[in-house]
Amino acid sequence: MTIRLGIHPSVERLFPPSVLRSSLEAVDATVTDADETLTPDAALDGLVTFDYDPSFLDAGVDWIHVIRAGYDEFPLDALRERGISLSNSTGLHGDSVGEMVVGYMLGFARGLHRYRLDQPDRAWNPPAWDETFTLAGESVCVVGLGTLGRGVARRADALGMSVAGVRRTPTPVEHVDRRYGPEDLREAVADARFVVLAVPLTDRTEGLFGAAELAAMREDAYLVNVARGPVADQSALVDALESGSIAGAALDVFETEPLPEESPLWGMENVVVTPHAAAATDEYPGRIAALVRENCRRLAAGESVANRVV
């Protein structure tokens, strides 16, 4: 069975569709570019996409693959009712996100963010004797120990940091010294120099990190969010940063993306803003293609797709 596979133009958000199409040449499938809005005339078995469009529900596709881990805007019940399988790209981001988080932590520890701001003004501002520190011996609390969180924990441990983790299940996780349940979140973050949010966005995690959790952090602690914007209360975070109740934040995700120009976060020296780029890597199209190829094989064989959500 040859799979008729379409590539939705929204893939362009991460890489050119042509790059993915060329990476799929070896797959037993007919690969075409799909239209922005699909109709049953498209005659597709599967669709690879970044965004969701309501036309997907009635396009006659059997399977949709989203090229990111998040899928919160996809109507799972409606897909299930129509017998459409949905798979995502979880499991591919541990290395890139883990390295990005280490970059944030090193940047704050060594003052790199401040030096970069000084450079356009040719300002020579050495740090005060007590202004910088090393990561070795410092503590990090990783909230969420899936692919992203484990990628952070492995690298933090290698740098000599003490690693705590928050997850729903008590299963031991390599490179994590202490584990806490979600009910103990405030206790978990209380002693950490860095708090890293790495959970998926669900009904349970929306608004997970608010004013009370920020208040539980140390005054010299930094918040890192590589999860999703709504996991943290952005207004409460701005208040904490402006009041000095935490030392700073590195934010890759926001409640509204792109981050609006009027957001006070843009102008804060102790905040690093990145454009939802933690997962970006030149290897990403190839990794997506490998997952899509495997799912095409499974679909042709009548098997359940990998990374299945629905």
Side-chain angles (χ1 to χ4, degrees):
M1 175 182 176
T2 300
I3 301 300
R4 297 163 298 179
L5 183 68
I7 300 177
H8 193 259
S10 63
V11 166
E12 182 74 43
R13 295 272 297 275
L14 291 187
F15 45 74
S18 59
V19 173
L20 180 60
R21 191 168 57 250
S22 64
S23 297
L24 290 171
E25 289 178 352
V27 72
D28 187 14
T30 301
V31 184
T32 62
D33 291 328
D35 293 330
E36 196 75 48
T37 301
L38 294 184
T39 67
D41 294 340
L44 297 174
D45 299 305
L47 178 69
V48 181
T49 185
F50 181 94
D51 287 332
Y52 170 74
D53 187 274
S55 65
F56 295 174
L57 292 177
D58 300 312
V61 297
D62 297 318
W63 158 58
I64 298 171
H65 181 79
V66 58
I67 59 169
R68 50 194 168 93
Y71 52 85
D72 43 283
E73 77 274 36
F74 284 75
L76 304 187
D77 289 341
L79 291 169
R80 193 174 291 111
E81 289 171 4
R82 286 165 172 77
I84 302 172
S85 297
L86 176 69
S87 57
N88 72 343
S89 300
T90 190
L92 304 184
H93 310 90
D95 290 339
S96 54
V97 173
E99 290 185 7
M100 191 78 154
V101 171
V102 167
Y104 294 140
M105 294 193 296
L106 283 169
F108 282 128
R110 307 308 305 151
L112 301 183
H113 62 301
R114 187 171 60 79
Y115 303 145
R116 186 64 184 89
L117 290 173
D118 288 341
Q119 188 172 334
D121 298 328
R122 294 172 169 78
W124 188 269
N125 291 320
W129 71 270
D130 59 350
E131 191 175 350
T132 58
F133 56 96
T134 62
L135 293 184
E138 290 290 350
S139 54
V140 58
C141 178
V142 184
V143 183
L145 291 171
T147 300
L148 303 188
R150 292 195 301 273
V152 173
R154 182 167 63 252
R155 289 162 175 80
D157 182 34
L159 289 168
M161 301 182 74
S162 171
V163 184
V166 178
R167 72 179 317 195
R168 281 184 294 149
T169 58
T171 311
V173 177
E174 195 174 5
H175 306 291
V176 176
D177 305 316
R178 302 176 311 284
R179 297 185 309 282
Y180 297 85
E183 67 279 2
D184 297 318
L185 176 58
R186 294 173 199 171
E187 177 187 353
V189 304
D191 294 326
R193 189 66 178 267
F194 294 94
V195 175
V196 180
L197 304 181
V199 294
L201 178 61
T202 66
D203 291 341
R204 286 193 184 98
T205 63
E206 186 170 359
L208 174 72
F209 214 83
E213 288 71 32
L214 288 160
M217 291 174 61
R218 293 163 40 173
E219 287 189 2
D220 63 348
Y222 297 86
L223 179 69
V224 177
N225 190 359
V226 289
R228 295 294 295 276
V231 169
D233 183 331
Q234 193 164 297
S235 177
L237 174 58
V238 169
D239 289 343
L241 290 163
E242 289 180 337
S243 69
S245 66
I246 65 172
L251 308 171
D252 191 52
V253 290
F254 306 88
E255 291 176 350
T256 300
E257 295 182 5
L259 181 64
E261 291 183 10
E262 64 272 17
S263 172
L265 293 168
W266 285 113
M268 294 182 176
E269 181 182 325
N270 59 342
V271 174
V272 174
V273 171
T274 54
H276 206 144
T281 169
D282 59 356
E283 297 178 349
Y284 198 57
R287 294 179 179 181
I288 293 292
L291 184 52
V292 171
R293 280 196 297 271
E294 171 60 15
N295 277 343
C296 284
R297 184 198 66 76
R298 293 188 182 205
L299 196 66
E303 303 172 4
S304 180
V305 295
N307 282 13
R308 182 169 180 168
V309 177
V310 173

